[in-house]
Amino acid sequence: MSFFRELSEKMREMSAPDELMGEVLTREGVITEAQLAKAVEHQQAAEQRGEPENLAKAVVCLGFAEEGRVLGVLNRAYGIEAKSVDEDIEKLIEEQANRNFFTRMRVPIRFKLSVTLAFFLLLSMFVLSYFLLQRQANNLYKESIKAGKISLTYFADEAKVPIINEDTLRLNSLVRKVTEVEGLLYAAIVDRENLTLAHNDLQKVGKPLTLPGRVGAETQEGNLSYFRRVTVDGREILNMSSPVTFQGKELGTVHVGISLDFIQDRIAHEKVFIYVVTVAFFLAGMAVAGLLGTNFSRPISRLVVATREISSGNYHHKVDFKRKDEFGDLARAFNFMSHELWLKSIMRESFGRYVSTTIRDLILADPQSVWLKGVRNEATIMFADVRGFTKYSEAHEPEVVVEQLNEFFDTAAKYIAQYGGYIDKFIGDEVLAVFGGLPNSTGDHAQNAVRASWAMQQELASRASDRNPVLGRVGVSINTGTVVSGNIGSEVRMEYTVIGDSVNVASRLNGLAGPGEIVLSESTFERVQSFVAASQLQPQMVKGKTAPLQPYSVDRVLAPDEGPAPPPKLFSGTGVAAPPPPKAGPAAAAPPPPPKTRPVAPSAPDAGKTAAPRPSAPKPAGAKPAGAKPAQPAARPAPKQAPSASGTPQDTQQRPAPKPGPPKK
C-alpha cells in the first residue's frame, strides 16, 4: 500500500512543476529556503501584473543564481534540454514526465526487494518441484521393475512342469493367478517358436505373441529383459520377459505386462499438492519479503536524514538505532564520522591546530573549562636541545638536516607520550615538553619526566651514527615547579602553553647539559633521588635569580625492581659559576654554556690543585700552560677531555676569571 501511496504522490508532484523546481534548486544548493520564498513572491507578483514567469526565471532575475547553473541543474534533474529561462520550462518538464513516467518513477527499495525475493522463492519452488517429481517417477519406475522381477521369477518357476507335461489347463490357471496381482495387465507363456501356450486373453492362445508399440531399447539384466511400450489406447506398459529352463534346456518364455499409468496418476496428484504448497509459500514469501524490505529500507531512510543533517552543519546529530548487523556497524561508523567532523570543525573554527592530542581531547571534552583560561599548577618542564646545532646545520644540506632533526623529534615524541607528558612546542632544534599540570594527569610527573628523558637518551645513543650524528648531541634539562598554563594568544591565533619562572629555569639549565646528558634542578632531584644516581654540579647563577641554583647531572636511572639509588656524588670544588651568556636563538652553539664539573679524586701529580671546570659542549683547545691558576679552584673531570701535551687530562676550554678579560695563554 505504501508503494501505491508513493506512486500517487509522485503523480501529484508531476502536476506541480514549480514546487518541484524549488525543491530541486534548494536540494542542489542553488538557492536557500529564504531565497525560494522570495522567488515565489516575485513570481506571484509577476502573475498579478499579467506577466507570468517560471520559477527559474524568477531566481535568475533576483540574482540568486546564474542562469547557466540553474539550467544545468534542471536539465540534469528532469532530463530536459532547456537553453534559456525564458522558455516554458514547466511545459518541458510535464512533457518529459509524461514520456518517461515509468522510467523516472521512484520505486521503493522495499518493493524491489519484496518482488525479487518472491520471484526467487517461486522459481526455487518450481525447480525443486520438477526435480522432486522426476525423482519420484524414477523411484516408482524402479519399484515397478523390482515388483515385476518378483512376479516374473515366480511365474517362470511355476511354468516349468506344466510346459514339460503340456498341461495347458495348468498353464492358463497359472496365468490367471498371476494377473490377479494389482498392476499386472497381462501374462503370457510362449514356446520356443513364440507360439502362445497360455494367455489371460484366451483368443491369443495358439497364436504367435506380438507386442506392438515398443518405446526405446530393450534392457537386459541377466536372464531378465524388459522394455516400455505404449498401446493403441495410450496406456504405457512395462513388458518383462524371462526364459523357462529345465536342466539347462530352454522350454519357452514367460511375459508379464505391468501398467505404468499409475505412476503418471500419482505424479499428477503430487503436482497438485506441490502447486498448492508453492502458492502458499509464495504468499508467505511476499509477506516476509515485505517485512524484510521495510526493515532494510527504514535504516537507509534514517541515514539519509542524518546525512542531510551533517551536510547542514549539525555534527551533533546521531543515528540512534542499535542493531547487531551491518546496519549497526554503519550507524556506529556514521556517528564516529560525525564526531570526527565535529572535532575538526572545533579545531578549525575555535582553537586552530593543537599539536598535542592530550590537550586537544581535554579541550574538546569541555571547551568552556576554567583551566583553559589560565591556572597555576605544579608541573615538570623538560627541554631537549641539540648541542652545536647551528654550526652543524651550516655545514650540511638543509634537506639532510631536516630529516635528521625529524628523526630526533620522532623519538622524543614517542617517549614523552609514553610517560604521560605532552609536547608544548618545537622551537627550532629544541623540544619543550610538559609533564603534569593537567586535570587528567596521573603519576608523579617528575619521575615520569626523568624516566622519559633517560629512555629517550638511551635510544638516541644507540641510534647515533655517522648517518645521523644529531641523535648523539641532545642535551636535556628538567625542572619542577609552579607554572601558569592556559590559552595564550590573540583573537586570530591561540595556543595552549605554559609560562612562568619554572619554565625559564629549565631553559637556563639546558645550557649546562652536554651531548647525551641530563641535568636536573634541585627541586626535581629531590623528588627522584630514590631511583636516580646523580652527580652534584657546581652551583650556577642564572639570570633573574638572586641565589645560585644547585644542578645535578644524571649518571644512571635505576629500574623499578632495583634497589634505592646511592647518594649523589658531591661537588668537590668551591665557588659559584657565573650566569651563562644568552643564546643567540633557540639553537645557537656559541658562546659556550657555563662549565659543569663532576666530583673526582685528584690524581697524584695534581694533588693540591684543581683543574678548571669543563664546559658542556667540548671544543678543541691547546694544552694548558703549567702553573696557570684557574679563577675557580673547583674542577670536574669529564669523560670528554682532551689530553695535554704532557699526557695529563685537561679541560678542552677554560672558564674565564671572575674579572672580565681574555683567558690566559
Side-chain angles (χ1 to χ4, degrees):
M1 295 300 293
S2 59
F3 168 71
F4 295 105
R5 183 169 60 253
E6 292 182 3
L7 181 62
S8 63
E9 291 177 357
K10 189 72 176 179
M11 296 177 64
R12 185 171 64 254
E13 289 176 356
M14 290 295 180
S15 63
D18 283 340
E19 296 179 6
L20 265 181
M21 277 194 290
E23 180 183 349
V24 170
L25 294 176
T26 53
R27 184 176 65 247
E28 296 295 330
V30 179
I31 58 176
T32 63
E33 295 287 347
Q35 292 174 338
L36 174 62
K38 293 182 180 179
V40 172
E41 293 178 359
H42 179 84
Q43 184 185 22
Q44 293 174 352
E47 291 178 355
Q48 292 177 358
R49 295 194 304 269
E51 302 174 355
E53 60 183 24
N54 57 60
L55 185 63
K57 185 175 182 180
V59 170
V60 174
C61 291
L62 293 175
F64 293 153
E66 297 180 356
E67 182 179 10
R69 186 182 180 191
V70 173
L71 292 176
V73 170
L74 295 178
N75 290 339
R76 183 173 65 254
Y78 296 108
I80 59 178
E81 296 181 357
K83 297 179 174 58
S84 172
V85 294
D86 293 326
E87 298 183 38
D88 193 350
I89 297 180
E90 292 93 339
K91 185 177 180 180
L92 293 176
I93 294 175
E94 291 178 357
E95 292 176 353
Q96 186 68 15
N98 293 331
R99 284 196 303 268
N100 302 328
F101 174 74
F102 288 102
T103 58
R104 296 179 60 250
M105 183 176 60
R106 178 181 178 272
V107 181
I109 190 172
R110 57 179 175 271
F111 180 79
K112 295 179 181 178
L113 185 61
S114 301
V115 172
T116 302
L117 291 179
F119 170 76
F120 278 104
L121 179 62
L122 190 63
L123 180 63
S124 301
M125 289 294 296
F126 275 113
V127 172
L128 183 62
S129 301
Y130 172 79
F131 286 106
L132 286 177
L133 292 175
Q134 288 294 324
R135 182 167 182 172
Q136 186 175 6
N138 291 333
N139 290 336
L140 290 174
Y141 181 71
K142 292 179 181 179
E143 291 295 329
S144 299
I145 294 175
K146 186 181 296 185
K149 288 180 179 179
I150 296 173
S151 299
L152 193 63
T153 301
Y154 169 78
F155 194 18
D157 291 339
E158 293 294 325
K160 293 178 182 179
V161 175
I163 292 177
I164 295 174
N165 297 329
E166 296 181 357
D167 188 353
T168 305
L169 182 62
R170 174 64 178 159
L171 290 176
N172 286 311
S173 175
L174 182 61
V175 166
R176 286 194 301 271
K177 186 176 181 180
V178 170
T179 54
E180 288 177 358
V181 178
E182 183 179 1
L184 291 179
L185 298 180
Y186 63 84
I189 301 174
V190 298
D191 59 11
R192 286 179 294 182
E193 286 75 22
N194 199 35
L195 290 177
T196 304
L197 300 177
H199 198 288
N200 60 319
D201 186 357
L202 297 178
Q203 296 180 358
K204 295 181 180 181
V205 176
K207 299 177 181 178
L209 180 64
T210 58
L211 300 171
R214 176 181 296 190
V215 178
E218 185 176 8
T219 302
Q220 188 76 32
E221 292 185 5
N223 293 331
L224 302 179
S225 62
Y226 56 89
F227 60 86
R228 304 176 72 168
R229 56 186 291 259
V230 179
T231 61
V232 178
D233 55 358
R235 293 186 301 173
E236 188 174 0
I237 300 174
L238 175 65
N239 183 86
M240 302 186 69
S241 60
S242 175
V244 180
T245 60
F246 181 76
Q247 296 182 352
K249 182 179 179 181
E250 184 176 344
L251 303 177
T253 306
V254 293
H255 295 266
V256 293
I258 303 173
S259 174
L260 297 180
D261 289 340
F262 82 98
I263 296 179
Q264 299 300 326
D265 294 340
R266 185 170 296 182
I267 293 298
H269 182 269
E270 294 295 330
K271 282 183 179 179
V272 174
F273 174 76
I274 290 177
Y275 291 155
V276 172
V277 173
T278 300
V279 172
F281 271 97
F282 174 76
L283 296 177
M286 284 289 292
V288 173
L291 294 176
L292 290 177
T294 302
N295 192 42
F296 185 82
S297 61
R298 187 173 298 167
I300 296 178
S301 301
R302 297 179 64 179
L303 286 172
V304 170
V305 174
T307 303
R308 292 174 179 172
E309 291 290 332
I310 295 297
S311 63
S312 64
N314 183 13
Y315 299 118
H316 294 286
H317 185 85
K318 302 295 181 183
V319 181
D320 188 18
F321 59 86
K322 298 179 181 179
R323 298 172 59 121
K324 302 297 182 180
D325 54 14
E326 287 78 2
F327 281 114
D329 297 337
L330 183 59
R332 287 187 290 272
F334 187 91
N335 292 337
F336 177 77
M337 177 196 70
S338 64
H339 180 70
E340 290 297 313
L341 290 174
W342 177 71
L343 293 181
K344 291 180 180 179
S345 67
I346 290 294
M347 287 187 290
R348 181 179 62 253
E349 298 173 4
S350 303
F351 301 105
R353 183 180 180 184
Y354 280 83
V355 178
S356 172
T357 57
T358 303
I359 301 300
R360 183 202 66 185
D361 294 339
L362 287 172
I363 291 174
L364 296 178
D366 188 6
Q368 304 300 324
S369 179
V370 176
W371 67 272
L372 290 173
K373 301 175 182 179
V375 293
R376 292 181 179 272
N377 290 300
E378 186 182 59
T380 298
I381 309 300
M382 183 191 82
F383 279 85
D385 184 76
V386 179
R387 308 287 89 182
F389 181 77
T390 301
K391 180 179 289 187
Y392 180 84
S393 62
E394 292 174 354
H396 295 78
E397 292 296 328
E399 296 82 1
V400 176
V401 173
V402 170
E403 182 180 358
Q404 294 176 346
L405 198 59
N406 285 337
E407 188 176 357
F408 156 55
F409 287 154
D410 288 341
T411 304
K414 178 178 70 173
Y415 286 105
I416 290 170
Q418 179 178 336
Y419 285 89
Y422 67 93
I423 296 177
D424 186 280
K425 60 176 64 69
F426 295 105
I427 312 171
D429 64 312
E430 190 175 63
V431 179
L432 167 58
V434 182
F435 293 80
L438 296 176
N440 62 348
S441 298
T442 58
D444 191 318
H445 48 80
Q447 294 185 17
N448 292 340
V450 172
R451 291 194 181 277
S453 303
W454 180 258
M456 178 188 72
Q457 289 287 41
Q458 294 293 103
E459 181 170 338
L460 292 177
S462 64
R463 294 170 56 186
S465 62
D466 294 336
R467 185 186 62 84
N468 191 358
V470 169
L471 301 182
R473 300 186 177 192
V474 177
V476 177
S477 62
I478 302 175
N479 180 43
T480 302
T482 302
V483 298
V484 177
S485 57
N487 279 329
I488 297 177
S490 65
E491 293 291 334
V492 178
R493 172 70 180 175
M494 299 185 72
E495 67 175 358
Y496 183 86
T497 187
V498 292
I499 58 174
D501 182 69
S502 298
V503 181
N504 297 335
V505 169
S507 178
R508 301 287 188 270
L509 292 178
N510 190 254
L512 304 178
E517 296 181 351
I518 303 174
V519 173
L520 309 179
S521 68
E522 188 172 13
S523 60
T524 301
F525 179 73
E526 290 176 352
R527 302 183 62 162
V528 301
Q529 57 183 337
S530 61
F531 65 92
V532 173
S535 298
Q536 193 179 63
L537 302 180
Q538 182 181 14
Q540 176 73 42
M541 292 296 301
V542 296
K543 182 180 178 181
K545 289 288 187 179
T546 58
L549 301 179
Q550 178 58 67
Y552 292 82
S553 178
V554 176
D555 298 330
R556 181 168 172 264
V557 175
L558 278 65
D561 57 345
E562 295 182 277
K569 299 176 183 178
L570 300 179
F571 175 67
S572 60
T574 60
V576 178
K583 298 171 66 175
K596 303 178 296 180
T597 60
R598 296 183 184 274
V600 296
S603 59
D606 296 331
K609 67 176 183 177
T610 310
R614 182 183 65 83
S616 60
K619 294 185 180 294
K624 181 178 178 181
K629 295 183 179 180
Q632 297 293 338
R636 183 179 65 115
K640 300 174 183 174
Q641 292 178 335
S644 64
S646 62
T648 304
Q650 301 290 338
D651 290 329
T652 58
Q653 183 175 340
Q654 184 176 356
R655 186 179 60 79
K659 294 183 180 181
K664 295 180 181 181
K665 295 184 179 180

